[in-house]
Amino acid sequence: MTTTPILILSGKGKTGRRVVEQLEARGVPYRLASRSSAQPFDWYDDSTWSPTIAGADTAYLAPPVGPTGLAQACRFIKQAASEGLRRVVLLSGRGVGSPGRDFAVYDEQLALEDAVKASGADWTIVQPAWFAQGFSEDFLRYHVLDGEIRVSAGDGGEAWIDTNDVGDVMTAVLLDEAHTGATYTISGPRYLTMTEIAAELSVATGRPINYVDLEPQAHVTELVEQGLDREDAEAVRDLFAVIRNHRSEYVSDGVQQVLGRAPRDFTDWARETAATGLWSTEQ
């Protein structure tokens, strides 16, 4: 493992934050790169790229959501490798490159994986299922607070994964170069439909949470009304379309492969999250 600080791109996001916590606990040096870091980094401003890359040996890359952001990440990794980055661990998505994902967001994710592999840098790719923390740290939290999960997932299932498991896997592969050249697909221990998710959250919170199955275009309209730009809203719709089309109803064993233990179950995660008060409607 390199002794230079590990570069963490998107270090304030759900996975990057957890990787940072793990590195700090181990006393491993790291360097955050974001718009607000000492050396500012912006995926959409390539003038910030070279100063960020300078001196970096190993990087954790969590790309932005949406086709445009993913295309920028492709450009970035090519430049980073040409400017001396030796090794990269990439956060991708489960099912990238598999049938039934004929959407721009998946095409760009696959293009990014290909760019990483072709960059000349050593690489490891981790492809997680949807994060359980989407219901506690992202836009789905407000759905839980409102008592209605309004998405276009149909009656399809997804093997939701605890983001803490993702952070553990990412840290393990960052710190052990034996994982070079490997792609790990990771998920929770079982898949659940949105109706089952709503039932789990109802039990955890002690109040009724319902699932409202939106038509895909209605989902885009609601996301735009909530402030998301249209391209990103359509990317979210297309990610949910994979669930809607029953393409995510399987379990992946990457957590066991990397960590030698089973992933955390959604029920346990929901119960412990409810105990923190994140879903409390009392002000």
Side-chain angles (χ1 to χ4, degrees):
M1 186 190 73
T2 177
T3 57
T4 60
I6 295 173
L7 178 63
I8 309 293
L9 297 162
S10 302
K12 294 185 177 180
K14 284 188 287 298
T15 60
R17 187 170 71 251
R18 288 168 167 85
V19 170
V20 165
E21 290 171 356
Q22 291 279 355
L23 296 179
E24 285 185 343
R26 290 166 168 78
V28 177
Y30 64 87
R31 175 161 58 93
L32 291 178
S34 70
R35 290 176 180 173
S36 60
S37 56
Q39 168 55 57
F41 171 77
D42 188 337
W43 290 109
Y44 302 96
D45 181 0
D46 56 11
S47 70
T48 68
W49 294 359
S50 287
T52 296
I53 296 163
D57 178 90
T58 298
Y60 172 58
L61 194 162
V65 174
T68 299
L70 289 163
Q72 286 293 97
C74 284
R75 293 182 56 231
F76 172 82
I77 189 58
K78 293 174 185 177
Q79 179 173 326
S82 71
E83 294 182 6
L85 185 70
R86 183 183 63 85
R87 182 167 179 256
V88 61
V89 172
L90 172 67
L91 173 71
S92 187
R94 198 168 74 127
V96 169
S98 300
R101 292 164 172 82
D102 302 320
F103 304 107
V105 64
Y106 275 96
D107 291 342
E108 291 297 341
Q109 283 182 320
L110 180 59
L112 178 55
E113 289 193 7
D114 289 342
V116 166
K117 292 175 181 178
S119 68
D122 291 339
W123 55 268
T124 307
I125 296 171
V126 179
Q127 302 174 322
W130 279 70
F131 300 156
Q133 276 79 353
F135 293 101
S136 62
E137 299 177 15
D138 210 335
F139 71 100
L140 291 171
R141 174 173 179 256
Y142 301 102
H143 293 219
V144 178
L145 291 171
D146 290 342
E148 280 193 345
I149 301 172
R150 300 177 61 83
V151 295
S152 53
D155 61 356
E158 171 64 58
W160 304 81
I161 187 168
D162 183 344
T163 315
N164 290 309
D165 285 338
V166 181
D168 289 350
V169 168
M170 291 299 187
T171 304
V173 300
L174 275 168
L175 298 181
D176 187 349
E177 295 195 22
H179 297 287
T180 297
T183 298
Y184 295 109
T185 304
I186 61 177
S187 78
R190 60 191 173 113
Y191 61 83
L192 298 136
T193 66
M194 279 295 179
T195 298
E196 291 168 330
I197 289 287
E200 293 273 357
L201 293 174
S202 295
V203 171
T205 61
R207 55 188 177 79
I209 310 292
N210 299 309
Y211 168 46
V212 178
D213 178 24
L214 299 177
E215 286 301 313
Q217 198 50 45
H219 193 187
V220 171
T221 299
E222 288 200 6
L223 289 169
V224 171
E225 289 173 349
Q226 292 161 12
L228 210 60
D229 69 60
R230 182 161 293 276
E231 181 185 72
D232 287 347
E234 290 175 348
V236 171
R237 173 202 62 197
D238 293 344
L239 291 168
F240 274 109
V242 174
I243 301 176
R244 188 180 189 89
N245 295 336
H246 302 278
R247 294 289 184 173
S248 286
E249 293 173 349
Y250 61 98
V251 171
S252 303
D253 65 354
V255 173
Q256 183 72 43
Q257 285 181 275
V258 176
L259 302 177
R261 63 165 176 82
R264 193 180 190 193
D265 188 75
F266 190 91
T267 299
D268 297 329
W269 171 81
R271 182 178 61 249
E272 293 184 19
T273 300
T276 69
L278 271 170
W279 292 320
S280 174
T281 57
E282 297 179 6
Q283 301 298 321

